[in-house]
Amino acid sequence: MSDRAPSPFIVNGCRGTTVASSRGGTCRFSLPVPDGFLARLERVVAESGWPDFLRDVVRGPILHHHAFRVAVSACPNGCSRPHIADVGIIRAWTPGRATDACTRCGLCERLCPDHAMTVEEDGPRLHPENCLSCGLCIKRCPEKALPVAREGWRVVVGGRLGRRPRLATELDGLDEVPGASGFPGQSHLLDDDGVVRALRNALAWYMREYRLHLRFGDLVASDPATAARLAGTLPGPVRTPEKMPPMRFDAPDPATGEGEGGAGQTP
Ligand code: SF4
Ligand code: SF4
Ligand code: SF4
């Protein structure tokens, strides 16, 4: 397999995000994804200035590990590997309180993979601390008694593989999805526009802070204010490529081994 990235960025979706996903998906676990959403994300990265920026700072060919990676999954199973991407985006549906149509059959309790639902005398009860907003209980209820209380995206940032692998950090404290489920543990979903804004701000922040061998995950790990920066409420100091010291990406990073001839050529 070639280690050359075909592009300065990669937007990768699981098979549940394909064209048919807004009508039920090509995977039985997929939650509906708005048509054209991945193309919209690609446009955001393409128009952010990142491709020209990367070509400007990389002397020599753009390699696999230079590419900015966005991974979209249509459910928390994460087949597109959002937790090792620079920005991972996961479709989420959170159930609301059951309607009178509920027969207390117990199916939602039995099929919840995360033990986040129990069916009690007065009906189903969500345990939000366990719920991953996979929507399975909503889709499979035979009476359609569980409404979608909140629909949006979980966003995780700063994942990477390589010599110092890191799982992405879930953004918390961002909430652009209108309507409250009454479950305080489920307050971190973003709507489509919120995701676009977070992605745009992530790229702007990375370009401002960019320096030799700095991966986006390093930046996220070093800054507890990541959520505020991606919300655009806490911009960093402006740093342009012209002000940056000369960089050589054709030599391996002594700390990580990444770079031409180094050990960190895998993502
Ligand atoms: S992440 Fe979920 S929806 Fe996407 S392919 Fe995997 S199981 Fe299916
Ligand atoms: S699966 Fe539907 S009908 Fe059965 S207990 Fe859950 S909400 Fe009620
Ligand atoms: S949304 Fe998924 S994790 Fe949450 S209660 Fe329903 S089945 Fe369980």
Side-chain angles (χ1 to χ4, degrees), residues 65-180:
H65 62 275
H66 295 141
F68 193 89
R69 291 164 183 279
V70 179
V72 185
S73 283
C75 89
N77 290 352
C79 297
S80 60
R81 307 199 293 179
H83 284 90
I84 54 170
D86 293 305
V87 175
I89 301 166
I90 302 163
R91 193 68 175 151
W93 272 11
T94 304
R97 299 188 192 287
T99 66
D100 291 344
C102 173
T103 59
R104 295 192 283 282
C105 69
L107 181 65
C108 51
E109 176 178 330
R110 290 195 299 280
L111 62 75
C112 174
D114 301 294
H115 308 291
M117 187 74 85
T118 51
V119 178
E120 300 172 9
E121 269 186 25
D122 58 350
R125 180 168 163 230
L126 183 71
H127 303 271
E129 67 280 6
N130 291 343
C131 178
L132 293 180
S133 302
C134 71
L136 208 56
C137 54
I138 300 170
K139 294 200 306 180
R140 297 278 298 276
C141 170
E143 310 300 333
K144 306 281 180 242
L146 288 170
V148 181
R150 293 158 61 83
E151 175 180 9
W153 302 93
R154 295 166 51 208
V155 177
V156 296
V157 293
R160 54 176 287 173
L161 287 179
R163 285 169 67 94
R164 288 177 291 142
R166 176 181 195 279
L167 284 181
T169 303
E170 180 138 9
L171 287 186
D172 211 347
L174 298 180
D175 184 15
E176 300 193 7
V177 174

